[in-house]
Amino acid sequence: MAGTVIHHDIEDLGDGRQTCGTAGTRVALSATPLMASYLFVTAMTTNTTPVVIGGSTVVASSATQQGLPLQPGETVEFALGNVADVFLDAVTNGEGVVFMYLRRRNP
């Protein structure tokens, strides 16, 4: 996140974590709608293999991989609407991500 500027128009911020209990079974980052302007997702540093994030069709298996693979400790940033629209899959049970989201004030 080096070089990221957080503007003064931020109304709220929150954070969370999500793990993939069973490898190969995708899970949403949020079980309920969670509106956000920005989302920062970091693969847990304790992961032993990459995890993959993406839409509802994300797949971590190397044979059919779909989505964005993240190495342990790697971070990606999104501008989006609903955190619940981002999914996680892993090839190792129990591995996952931590995340932080920001909501901007309405103009």
Side-chain angles (χ1 to χ4, degrees):
M1 289 190 338
T4 300
V5 176
I6 298 176
H7 302 279
H8 62 84
D9 62 346
I10 299 302
E11 176 179 309
D12 185 28
L13 70 100
D15 52 54
R17 65 185 285 137
Q18 185 59 274
T19 58
C20 189
T22 304
T25 303
R26 69 186 65 88
V27 60
L29 293 192
S30 176
T32 59
L34 181 58
M35 301 312 291
S37 303
Y38 303 100
L39 175 66
F40 304 87
V41 181
T42 302
M44 292 179 181
T45 57
T46 54
N47 289 350
T48 59
T49 58
V51 294
V52 181
I53 59 170
S56 62
T57 58
V58 68
V59 176
S61 172
S62 61
T64 57
Q65 190 174 82
Q66 295 184 156
L68 182 65
L70 296 176
Q71 298 294 326
E74 187 174 8
T75 299
V76 65
E77 172 186 344
F78 298 98
L80 80 149
N82 191 347
V83 175
D85 290 339
V86 180
F87 286 74
L88 162 73
D89 193 12
V91 294
T92 304
N93 292 343
E95 297 199 341
V97 299
V98 293
F99 62 90
M100 181 179 79
Y101 61 90
L102 306 168
R103 281 192 281 253
R104 297 178 77 174
R105 288 187 184 95
N106 289 329

